[in-house]
Amino acid sequence: MPTFDIVSEVDKQEVRNAVEQVNKEVSARFDFKGSDARVEQADYQLTIFADDEFKLEQVLDILRIKLTKRNVDVRCLDKNPIDKISGNKVKQLVIIKTGIEVGLAKRIIKNIKDSKLKVQASIQGEVVRVVGAKKDVLQDVIQLVKKSIDSFPLQFHNFRD
C-alpha cells in the first residue's frame, strides 16, 4: 500500500546559520552602533535582545530575511510578548514550531475525509500518515492539503509504494 507522511520540520543548522548571520550584520550596521542588539539561540527558542522596541523589530526583520534566504519558512515563528529588562532594554522570545499540533492534525484529517478520496489518514505523534490504494490518489491528497492548509508550513515525506 502506498503511503506518505505529512510533517512540519525545520532544519536546526539552517536556523543556527541564520542567527549567526543576523548577529554579524547587526554588529556591522551603523544604526546599531553601540547597542546591545543580538539574537541568542537555545535549541528551537530564539531570544532577541535590543535597546528599544523599534530596534527589536528591526532585528526581527533581519532574522526573517536571513531565515527566508536559508529556506526556513517564517510561518513557523511564534512570537511571545515583548518583555522589558531594565530601563529601555527589551527582549522577545521567539519559538520555532516544529511538528504538527493535534488541532491542526485533526483539521488535516477532516479535510481529507471530507474530500471523499479513498485514503486512510491517522495521527502518529507529530506526523499525519496517509495510506491509499493508488499513488495518484495520494498525489491528489497532497494537492488538497497544500490548498487547504496555508497558515502553517507542511512537508510531505516518506512517499512509498
Side-chain angles (χ1 to χ4, degrees):
M1 294 283 277
T3 67
F4 72 91
D5 295 334
I6 303 171
V7 298
S8 179
E9 296 174 342
V10 175
D11 187 0
K12 195 187 303 185
Q13 185 61 43
E14 291 297 337
V15 173
R16 182 176 296 120
N17 292 340
V19 167
E20 289 173 3
Q21 285 181 335
V22 168
N23 287 331
K24 184 185 272 187
E25 182 173 330
V26 165
S27 67
R29 277 182 44 169
F30 179 75
D31 53 341
F32 286 105
K33 214 48 138 185
S35 75
D36 187 32
R38 68 187 186 280
V39 180
E40 292 179 357
Q41 179 182 5
D43 205 26
Y44 285 111
Q45 292 184 346
L46 306 177
T47 307
I48 303 171
F49 295 93
D51 292 341
D52 54 41
E53 289 186 28
F54 178 73
K55 286 186 178 173
L56 185 107
E57 286 298 322
Q58 284 183 315
V59 173
L60 193 57
D61 286 342
I62 296 169
L63 177 67
R64 284 189 194 113
I65 290 167
K66 298 299 182 187
L67 287 172
T68 303
K69 284 184 180 178
R70 297 199 153 270
N71 294 324
V72 176
D73 199 323
V74 293
R75 293 179 293 175
C76 65
L77 298 179
D78 185 26
K79 299 185 304 184
N80 287 357
I82 297 173
D83 298 329
K84 291 207 180 277
I85 301 174
S86 63
N88 285 342
K89 294 195 184 270
V90 293
K91 74 175 183 177
Q92 185 174 28
L93 183 68
V94 177
I95 298 171
I96 299 172
K97 296 185 287 188
T98 59
I100 298 176
E101 296 171 354
V102 176
L104 180 62
K106 287 181 180 179
R107 201 169 96 203
I108 291 170
I109 291 174
K110 183 181 182 309
N111 288 345
I112 292 170
K113 287 186 179 181
D114 289 347
S115 71
K116 304 287 188 209
L117 293 171
K118 299 210 183 282
V119 294
Q120 297 283 323
S122 61
I123 301 172
Q124 297 183 344
E126 295 181 337
V127 174
V128 176
R129 167 124 336 136
V130 180
V131 179
K134 296 181 180 177
K135 220 164 46 169
D136 294 339
V137 177
L138 293 182
Q139 290 173 338
D140 292 341
V141 170
I142 290 174
Q143 294 306 316
L144 171 79
V145 172
K146 281 183 180 179
K147 287 179 186 173
S148 64
I149 308 294
D150 60 354
S151 61
F152 197 72
L154 298 175
Q155 296 90 30
F156 306 93
H157 290 284
N158 298 335
F159 197 93
R160 297 187 185 134
D161 257 341

